[in-house]
Amino acid sequence: MVSRVDDVTADMVIEELNRRRVPVVRLDPADFPETLNVRARLDGLGLAGQVRTATRTAELDQVRAVYWRRPQPYAAPEGLPEQQARWCVEEARYGLGGILASLPGAHYVNHPWRNRDAEYKPAQLAMAAGCGFDVPPTLLTNDPAAARAFVHEHQRVVYKPLRSTDYHDEEGQALTVWVDEVDPEELHDGIAATMHLFQRRISSVADLRITVVGEQVFTVRIDGSPGVDWRRHYDALSYTLIDTPPELAKRVRAYLDAFGLVFGAFDFGLDADGRAWWYECNPSGQFAWFPAPISERLITAVADQLQHAGEHRDH
C-alpha cells in the first residue's frame, strides 16, 4: 500500500484486508530515507531484498499486489543545502521509485507509470474525445487575449487547475485551487505566467461519478451541489448508486484499456437532456466520502483485486 499516512481511503482498504488476514505493508516514499530502509538486490535471478518501515518489513520478491494510492513527493533529509537536497530527491525518485515500480509478478492498482501518464489533463481530454465521450469546448493557453476571446465566445466558462499541487501561503495555510467560474474582469496579464485550462461551463442538473475497479463498474449519481465544484460541498449532497448507461460503460472500459489502468474514477456533468459531459478521470481517485452502502462495495472490490492478485496479472 503506497500512500500517505492521512489517506482515509487507504485506511479503509487496509482495514478490510486486515479483516481478511491478508498481510499488508504500508509505506510512503516521503518517509525515505528517514524511516524507510531499502535493501534491494539485482542479479541473474531478478529483483529481491527488503523494504522496512518503522513497523513492517516487505520481501520484495513476495509482494503479490500493490495499491498505488496517494503518496507524498520524494524527500531529502532536512538541513541539506538546496542543490544537495535536490540531488537526493531525484536519486530517491529514480532509485526507490524504480524498485517499487518493478516488483516481480506484482499486480498494480494502478502501476505508478500508468498513473503518471493518465494524470495529464490534456492527455485525458484527447483520449476522452477519441473514446467517444462528449467533451466540453476547452482552451489550454498562456495567452491572455486568447483566454478573453474564449470567455467572450462561450460566456459561462470555468477555470480548472491542471494538477492538484500543494500550494500554501507564507504562514503555511493551504491555498486550494478549486474549479470555479471565470470572472472576465480577472483575466489579467498574469495568465501569461503559466499554462491555464478554461472550459465551457456545463449547465448540469446532477453529476456522475463512475468508479471502475477491474471489471466492476459503479456509477453514483450526485445531486444537490450548490456550486460549480461539488467536492466543496460533500455534506450537502445526496448519492444514489444507479445502473451504468451501456454506452458510458463501453467508453470507460476503452479509456482505461488505452492507458493500461485497472482503476479509474470518472467525473461527468449530467445536463437536462440526460447527456453526460466528460470532466476528468482520476486514476487514483478516493471514495471514502461516499455513504457506507456505496463505499463498502468499492472497498470490497479493491480488496478483492489485491487479495486475488494472481487472477488479475494478465489484465
Side-chain angles (χ1 to χ4, degrees), residues 1-307:
M1 184 77 64
V2 183
S3 196
R4 61 188 67 198
V5 70
D6 58 351
D7 180 6
V8 179
T9 295
D11 293 343
M12 289 180 164
V13 175
I14 289 173
E15 183 178 353
E16 174 62 17
L17 292 171
N18 286 338
R19 188 188 67 79
R20 301 180 184 194
R21 301 186 182 277
V22 176
V24 182
V25 174
R26 180 178 187 158
L27 62 86
D28 187 349
D31 293 335
F32 179 81
E34 297 291 343
T35 59
L36 182 60
N37 181 272
V38 180
R39 300 179 183 182
R41 303 184 308 278
L42 282 153
D43 54 27
L45 298 177
L47 177 67
Q50 297 177 334
V51 291
R52 291 186 296 163
T53 71
T55 58
R56 296 284 190 274
T57 298
E59 298 291 338
L60 297 175
D61 58 353
Q62 295 180 21
V63 176
R64 293 189 296 128
V66 178
Y67 186 24
W68 198 280
R69 253 292 298 162
R70 193 160 292 184
Q72 297 183 93
Y74 291 89
E78 293 185 6
L80 291 179
E82 180 181 354
Q83 289 289 344
Q84 291 183 24
R86 184 181 305 166
W87 188 86
C88 287
V89 166
E90 291 304 297
E91 291 296 293
R93 184 193 319 281
Y94 285 92
L96 175 59
I99 292 168
L100 296 177
S102 306
L103 300 177
H107 174 60
Y108 286 86
V109 184
N110 293 303
H111 193 284
W113 297 345
R114 304 291 82 76
N115 273 357
R116 177 200 60 200
D117 293 345
E119 285 174 344
Y120 289 86
K121 280 194 167 59
Q124 289 190 16
L125 289 160
M127 186 66 74
C131 290
F133 290 107
D134 291 313
V135 178
T138 303
L139 174 71
L140 290 147
T141 189
N142 69 328
D143 186 330
R148 296 186 190 103
F150 186 80
V151 173
H152 178 74
E153 177 185 1
H154 294 286
Q155 299 300 309
R156 300 192 72 185
V157 170
V158 296
Y159 168 80
K160 296 184 176 183
L162 287 157
R163 189 174 186 274
S164 297
T165 304
D166 288 337
Y167 186 28
H168 301 83
D169 62 18
E170 294 179 356
E171 285 73 42
Q173 182 79 21
L175 300 173
T176 302
V177 180
W178 299 98
V179 177
D180 217 340
E181 190 158 356
V182 173
D183 179 351
E185 299 299 320
E186 295 181 352
L187 295 174
H188 51 70
D189 289 344
I191 290 172
T194 191
M195 187 65 74
H196 295 75
L197 189 157
F198 300 97
Q199 193 170 76
R200 189 186 78 193
R201 180 174 179 180
I202 300 302
S203 297
S204 58
V205 298
D207 293 276
L208 296 180
R209 165 60 73 93
I210 300 180
T211 306
V212 183
V213 186
E215 298 302 316
Q216 299 187 70
V217 182
F218 305 88
T219 299
V220 178
R221 177 180 168 125
I222 302 172
D223 290 282
S225 177
V228 176
D229 193 335
W230 55 261
R231 297 172 302 171
R232 304 174 73 170
H233 312 282
Y234 288 121
D235 294 339
L237 307 174
S238 64
Y239 308 95
T240 308
L241 193 63
I242 65 172
D243 292 335
T244 307
E247 277 304 308
L248 284 183
K250 179 180 177 182
R251 290 168 185 163
V252 298
R253 171 56 54 204
Y255 181 96
L256 293 176
D257 288 347
F259 275 116
L261 301 174
V262 175
F263 177 100
F266 297 78
D267 289 320
F268 300 89
L270 197 64
D271 69 16
D273 296 323
R275 190 176 181 183
W277 290 89
W278 168 275
Y279 287 160
E280 69 172 341
C281 174
N282 186 338
S284 55
Q286 58 183 331
F287 45 80
W289 43 272
F290 278 134
I294 298 174
S295 64
E296 287 171 0
R297 294 186 64 173
L298 290 162
I299 291 165
T300 297
V302 173
D304 286 345
Q305 278 284 318
L306 301 172
Q307 180 179 9

